[in-house]
Amino acid sequence: NCYFIKVQVVMIRFNSYGSGYGSTTDSDGSPIRGHRYIEDGFEDNMNDSFDDDQQSNGNNSRANNTYQHQPPNFTTTTTTTTTTTTVTSSTTPLTAGINPLTNKPFMQLRLPPSTNPRSNNVVSWRLPETKSEETMAIRTRRDGPLLLPIVRDPFLDDYDETKRKRFNVPLIAFTIVLIIAGLATLQTANHLNGNSSGSDKRLSNANGISGDSVSFPLVSRASFNKDIGPPEKIFNMELLSSSFHKSIFHPFPTGAFWTSNFVVRSSHPQQRRSLNEEPMENRAIQSKFSDRKSRKEKNDVLSNPIVVYPYAFEWSDSRMAFSYPGYRTIVQPFVVRDVFWPDISISAAEGITSRQIVHYDHLSVTTRMYSSTNSAVSKNYFEAYLVQGSPYATFLFHQSTPVLTALSIWEEISCVSVEASQKGLCNTQEIPDDPHHSVKFTGIQFLITQAEGQQWILFANGGNSMTFYLDKSRRFIQCSEKFDGVLRLAIIPPGADLDGGRGPLVKQILNHSAIYPKSARVLVQYHQNKDKKEVATVSFSYETQEGGSNANIDLLMLALPHHLYAIDTISSSLSSPISTKRPILPVLDANYTCIKGNMTPIVGNQWVAYVETLTELNLGSEGTITNTAAVDEIHRNLLLDSNIITPTAKDVYGFGKQIARMAQLVHISDTIGAHTTDNTIDVANKTAETVAAYLGDWFDGKRGDALVYDIDIGGIVSKDGLENPQADFGNGWYNDHHFHYGYFIYAATILSRRNSTFYSNYRPHISALVSDIASDVTPPTPSSHSNTVSGDTSTSSSTSKNDETKSLSELFPSARHKSWYDGHSWASGLFPQANGKGQESSSEAINAYYAAYLWHHYDGNTKAQNFARLLLATEIRSAKTYWHTGPSSKIYPPQFSENYMVGNLGGLDATSTTWFGDKIIYVHLINVMPVTSITQELFQREYVQKQLEFLEPYIHTVEEPWKGYVLALQGIVDAEAAWKDALDVASYKLDTAISKSQLLYWIATRPDFASNWNVTATTGGTSDKKQCSSNPRCSGAGLTGQCCPTTDGTMLGCCD
């Protein structure tokens, strides 16, 4: 145990010896991406400054993992003389002291050293003024920043003590006793056991978690970051009903479409997804009719939107606002975005006293807004049923008076048709003499038109005719009395013909208005099709409620483009499906649209959304290499790569890529067989031992950024990620878990196949990581109505070697990142985002589910294996639909589709840019990595051929780290040319997720790789580049012979 003191970092100083003072670039000139810094109370993000300059460089990309703890350069200031002492620990050296000018303590922690071999980095912090001694925060004067020397890192072999003296401040040791006495008064804590307080123990016991369940240390978030880490600091707890508190946080559905923007506090750190995402606070309602005061009233700050196609919703303490974003689409060459404006706001005349989430499932979330102070017994409220794919916005009122507020004004209130008026469904009356109202309208069905040109149909299903008034300002519609019933609104999208209520779309909206969905279940069944292929069928089943005079009618919903495959093939591809009845698809005269394109109307309370043939690709399914010369070349490179590739990254994502790359060498060696013609070294055994050592240390928490189990929310997170929301790409706040852990799982599976000891020792750790991203069990959730989340209704048996899956899976949310309606995953975690959740690398998401499948396949868990394959199949289908574009794509406007690839896909936007730069080559290649067997199912030859034609002008400028992925694509369409180019690649210059051996192996296993090709290195190729004479810096140093690498496989630093 060590003494734990909470430290809030306000400014970070960085100096890099050998390359001058630090800046926003690495020593090689590449910009550093994505680290948040704070100075004098003002927050910024390095993405912002980088984005504004629109800088880009291949070395700053996620591809080569050059992310350091390097903030921007700050000017040097005079430092104060301090008295210090050191409290040592085997894992975390701490430097503590007293600032004599303020008589307040300070503390310094060591950050990881730079991975740049050209410089030694020294990091120091200036800490903010203390606000309360009770916080136990260690701080110093804001106007006199204290420059602290970094303690020596025992793992930094080339640390130069003489350089430290240039930076050191005088140290006096007379306060040792004083510091020790001060620290003794602090509460002891241990980061890695989660028992820093009694409350941590109670949480652990209350949640029924034990260390044996997950194998990783159990921790409380507060023990790492008391200021912003605990759930009550992340979430607005008042928004979660009391029945949720016992279960919603364990496990909490961090990846669900509604979480980050509806319940995460607005003060929580935010992330921009791309160069073009506009922060919420800068969004303005650009309407000449807009009353801006309404958005500035106390407690009326709207949240970021949650996207519930075709609509999007925001809420505040006083209203629920919604929009049809497809009405306002911005199209630019690299961006297409649907814009949220609060077209209509729903509230109650009695006012709103509180609001809560009262139910959620895979396809919906239900909110409730109360009009009385005691929500526990209140009967005065209204609920919003936010169900994905509903063409209606649905609100259930209980003893509350509805108020509908327009974005600008209600330009006209009328009946949908003359017939509706004649039948008493609608009656409108202008009342010019009324001092408060301009229109009185009575009935159950109305056509309301806004000044912006939008037309909506308003339905009032309360059993009786209702009376509404439009006020004199023509902005507010209010019911004449308290209402018990359902209000539904449906927009008439542009292009639809009203035709007196007889237009095809309008007629369907009228006919199905009396039945509405309250919640939904995702039903899964596994079976064989007529071709004896294993198939998963996924259906959406809705709990519905009927109202009004219409009875025995079916539900009208909207399907996304990727659902159409199942709808079109359901009658021919199944032998024992859930339902063989083809759904009814009404023909309309206009389309509801969203960022994913046109939506298709579908009638039925249950319909099949996916029919997916499950992959049979396993490790070793890449194909057989019949060219013996190619096998020899791969063997030579395996030996070289095993010596130059070492997984040393200190962050989760970087290490994951490196360890998977090294494990791939083991897999390739095992697949192509032992090589004895040139060297007797058993490359596979040697490399496997290295993988086992490094991966085992990570699982045991012995290397830097340890993995731990978050007992508050329910998930495996990184220690650094808990301490800093921006560290590890937001891992501690549940960003990108599938990206990160997919690499770990892939490597661990390869190793387990050949190392039974490793499998036995670390099976629980691997299973926990798999469950974090691909759990197939979710316990029932508290609800205001009886419905439970269902991840799988199949009866297939589990034959796991050691069956503990159920208890383990219950500690994680079901398929954390997967959106069943969208088909793909959302990488976003608990960071509010202005355009809804988003995802960048579709290929890394696919890698995660492929790795999960490989693990369960080896582990023998049939049920979990099928579920992972289903996650994989739906991810691939969605990637091909929404990421892979081109002129023939019908998803996005042609101007945007010409880019052939989406870089970031969000709920309301799609961009051909990335987090780290706007070069189009980055957009394409971040969606290729990593290259494994499953890559052949993701990329079809026809698409890649056109993709490479589009990229041809950019390929010649691609940076070295990305070249491996370009050649991997080329290998799909021209394996011979790709092989020849790959021979000239320097493996150590490639991205950390790919090696030259892996690239050659991928190309050689392509179907058109001929057995009679001459595949030996050509003049000027790899063989010549090994010589010292071919590398100017080596020859300039007087070296001769073979340098790159040497005969023992060592790659010298002078190699080009």
Side-chain angles (χ1 to χ4, degrees), residues 2 73 89 140 153 166 195 305 360 366 392 420 611 667 690 693 704 731 736 819 914 1054:
C2 66
N73 185 33
S89 167
T140 188
D153 190 326
R166 297 172 50 190
N195 292 327
Y360 73 91
T366 302
Y392 309 85
V611 177
H667 164 57
T690 303
N731 178 286
D736 298 357
S819 169
T914 69
C1054 60

Side-chain angles (χ1 to χ4, degrees), residues 718-784:
S718 70
K719 178 175 66 68
D720 286 354
L722 283 178
E723 293 172 344
N724 177 5
Q726 304 298 331
D728 290 332
F729 304 100
N731 178 286
W733 267 248
Y734 292 93
N735 270 9
D736 298 357
H737 277 205
H738 54 335
F739 295 168
H740 299 173
Y741 300 152
Y743 289 109
F744 279 75
I745 298 164
Y746 183 80
T749 303
I750 289 174
L751 193 58
S752 294
R753 284 159 48 99
R754 70 183 338 268
N755 187 331
S756 59
T757 301
F758 180 88
Y759 169 76
S760 177
N761 290 341
Y762 295 108
R763 178 183 178 273
H765 299 75
I766 306 166
S767 295
L769 286 181
V770 174
S771 294
D772 185 272
I773 64 172
S775 173
D776 64 338
V777 175
T778 298
T781 60
S783 173
S784 58

Side-chain angles (χ1 to χ4, degrees), residues 154-167:
F155 299 104
L156 187 59
D157 296 332
D158 60 349
Y159 184 88
D160 189 343
E161 191 68 30
T162 62
K163 293 178 179 179
R164 177 179 175 182
K165 294 178 181 178
R166 297 172 50 190
F167 196 72

Side-chain angles (χ1 to χ4, degrees), residues 31 33 57-67 916 922 961-962:
R33 161 207 173 226
N57 184 296
N59 293 333
N60 84 301
S61 69
R62 252 184 4 190
N64 73 341
N65 197 43
T66 57
Y67 307 119
F916 49 87
Y922 301 161
W962 295 103

Side-chain angles (χ1 to χ4, degrees), residues 19 32 57 117 127 137 208 221 235 305 415 449 574 578 705-706 732 758 861 871 881 952 963 969:
S19 60
I32 305 301
N57 184 296
L127 307 176
R221 299 182 68 86
F235 304 101
C415 298
T449 304
L574 304 177
I578 293 176
D705 194 6
F758 180 88
N861 190 330
L871 296 175
T881 306
E952 197 278 331
K963 284 186 177 179
L969 287 175

Side-chain angles (χ1 to χ4, degrees), residues 623-654:
T624 302
I625 305 175
T626 58
N627 190 312
T628 56
V631 173
D632 290 342
E633 183 66 24
I634 294 171
H635 270 298
R636 283 192 289 272
N637 280 277
L638 284 170
L639 176 61
L640 299 177
D641 283 341
S642 66
N643 285 289
I644 66 174
I645 295 175
T646 304
T648 57
K650 294 182 180 298
D651 66 291
V652 175
Y653 179 70

Side-chain angles (χ1 to χ4, degrees), residues 434-474:
D434 191 312
H436 304 293
H437 307 113
S438 59
V439 179
K440 174 184 178 181
F441 49 106
T442 304
I444 60 173
Q445 181 187 105
F446 312 96
L447 180 67
I448 54 180
T449 304
Q450 294 180 289
E452 292 79 15
Q454 291 185 342
Q455 288 186 307
W456 300 78
I457 301 178
L458 169 64
F459 301 94
N461 295 331
N464 297 303
S465 179
M466 300 298 301
T467 297
F468 296 87
Y469 287 94
L470 176 64
D471 78 322
K472 281 295 186 182
S473 71
R474 303 189 70 87

Side-chain angles (χ1 to χ4, degrees), residues 300-323:
D300 195 42
V301 177
L302 286 168
S303 66
N304 281 310
I306 68 165
V307 183
V308 189
Y309 298 131
Y311 303 112
F313 295 80
E314 295 182 354
W315 70 341
S316 71
D317 286 345
S318 62
R319 57 179 166 143
M320 174 71 73
F322 63 99
S323 173

